[in-house]
Structure formats: C-alpha cells, structure tokens
Amino acid sequence: MSGFSVVIDPDDTRRRDVVASLNEAGLHAVIENPGAAGIQALFDDMPPLDLAVIAVSHPSDAPLFLISRLRVAFPGCLILAIDAVDSDHSVAWAFSSGAHDVARLPFRKAEFDARLSQRLIWMAPESAKIGHDADPVIGRLDLTPAEERVLRVLLSHIGRIVTRNELSHHLYGRDWDYQDRRFDVHVGRIRRKLGDVFDGVYTIRTIRSAGYMFDAASAFFNAASGALQSPAVS
C-alpha cells in the first residue's frame, strides 16, 4: 500500500496501539483524528486512501456514515471498525455500513495485528483489485468522474431509493440544496449511457419526490452474492 491511512478513535490509548500496529505493518502515512474539516478534505482532495480504522459507538454515529462514504469514494480502501460499545447489535451496525472487519472490546493489540495482517493479504491479490477496471458495469461506461461517483453510490444501494440528500452527504458531506439540480443532470446522462451499452438490462428510476433507484434485470443480478454481472457480448 502506497497511499494514506486514517485512524479515527477518541480513545487515546487504543488509538496509539492502532497506529503502532499500522507502522509495524509498514503503513507510515497515518492521519490521526483529522476532525470534520480534515475528513472533508479527504473527499475534496481525493488522495489515495488505502486504509481506515474507525471506532463506532452508536447506531446513528457519524463514523458509520463515514464508513459508508469511504466505501463509495475509495472502493479499494480497507476499512476496519472498532466496536466501542460491545452491544448485541453494534458489530452489525459496522458491517452494514460497509466495514470489512470489526474488532470487539476488550481491544487487544495482538488480535488487531492478526486481523490487520489477514485483511491486508486478502485485499492484496491482483484478482481482487477493485475500481474502474474491475467493475463490470462502470468499466464499460464512458463516465465523467462525477457521474462515476454518483453511480457508485447507487450501485452500493441497489434495489432501494437513494435520496438526493443521501447523495449529497455521500459525495460532498453536506445537505442537499433544493435548487441544486446537478444530480438530475448526472443521473440523466448515466441513464442514457446505460441504455446505449446495456439496452435495458440496467436502469436508474427516478422516484418522484424521493430520489433514485438503480434496477437490474433479474437475469443479470445474482441475488445471493449481490454481484452485478455484465451481460455476455456476442
């Protein structure tokens, strides 16, 4: 890994252990507790972000939404959550938001080291490369960067409505302005490109007064794995 890592955890002792583990694994470009402005800068400047370790303490916690945003903005980023609550459902919150693994309390550095090592190995193979080339839908579309980011959000929530406010928070970290029509423009262009390439297999529906929904024809959607498959090209 050659990019940055970010560690967000209010517990100083635990955070120091995590940073030490990252350094021992050869990850030295570590940003600690960047704060709201620093977090937004990650998305505005889009530096290579390879790893995020985020402590989660509440089902409506901002870190959960941050995990979801990271999965969209940095598809190849490894996200490790720390369950700082240890309740019956807190691990599920983190996984549902998109974390690849969750460390539970009591936090043990040796266990975290093992989880980190295994996840780094799991993310490393060339066959697991995530991004434009590996995505069977996005990889066949001639999208602008803005269109690709919008489509990645919709793909990550396939089958359910994504509101404009959700899109705005995922992509820009702020509430949607009613006068802002950029999402309608992006979605319209993406919809035309999907139609040109996939001829109705995939589409984006606009749900009046609600938002957008990405739909895939059942013949090309593997419901068991949630994986989108590219139609065969004759």
Side-chain angles (χ1 to χ4, degrees):
M1 290 187 171
S2 57
F4 290 95
S5 301
V6 62
V7 178
I8 301 175
D9 190 342
D11 187 298
D12 292 337
T13 300
R14 188 169 58 213
R15 190 177 68 254
R16 283 194 294 268
D17 284 343
V18 169
V19 173
S21 294
L22 300 188
N23 290 334
E24 291 162 9
L27 307 174
H28 299 292
V30 180
I31 303 168
E32 294 185 53
N33 282 353
I39 290 172
Q40 187 57 46
L42 293 174
F43 297 96
D44 291 341
D45 299 334
M46 297 297 287
L49 189 64
D50 286 337
L51 174 70
V53 182
I54 301 172
V56 174
S57 58
H58 193 273
S60 61
D61 207 0
L64 288 173
F65 196 77
L66 176 59
I67 290 172
S68 179
R69 287 191 70 199
L70 288 172
R71 282 300 298 268
V72 172
F74 302 96
C77 180
L78 173 60
I79 302 175
L80 304 178
I82 297 174
D83 172 15
V85 181
D86 197 27
S87 72
D88 290 342
H89 305 289
S90 45
V91 168
W93 303 335
F95 278 123
S96 296
S97 295
H100 295 98
D101 201 354
V102 183
R104 304 197 68 166
L105 298 181
F107 181 83
R108 298 178 177 89
K109 184 177 181 301
E111 177 187 338
F112 181 82
D113 289 347
R115 289 178 180 274
L116 174 63
S117 176
Q118 288 301 308
R119 286 295 174 173
L120 289 175
I121 293 171
W122 180 77
M123 296 287 284
E126 187 69 16
S127 61
K129 185 173 61 176
I130 301 173
H132 188 89
D133 294 333
D135 192 302
V137 175
I138 290 177
R140 290 182 58 189
L141 300 176
D142 182 18
L143 301 173
T144 67
E147 291 166 359
E148 179 175 340
R149 295 179 69 194
V150 170
L151 183 53
R152 284 197 181 279
V153 176
L154 299 178
L155 285 170
S156 68
H157 298 84
I158 189 168
R160 83 163 182 83
I161 297 171
V162 178
T163 68
R164 293 173 179 84
N165 202 53
E166 284 181 289
L167 276 172
S168 186
H169 273 279
H170 274 297
L171 302 180
Y172 308 116
R174 57 177 179 268
D175 286 338
W176 172 65
D177 183 342
Y178 183 78
Q179 303 300 320
D180 186 353
R181 311 309 298 175
R182 80 181 80 182
F183 295 134
D184 293 330
V185 173
H186 292 328
V187 167
R189 291 173 177 168
I190 296 168
R191 186 183 288 126
R192 286 194 295 273
K193 294 176 182 180
L194 285 168
D196 290 343
V197 174
F198 295 109
D199 193 25
V201 173
Y202 305 126
T203 188
I204 300 173
R205 290 195 288 142
T206 298
I207 312 299
R208 188 174 180 180
S209 302
Y212 313 101
M213 180 186 292
F214 187 94
D215 279 338
S218 58
F220 301 102
F221 182 67
N222 183 337
S225 64
L228 287 169
Q229 300 175 353
S230 182
V233 179
S234 58

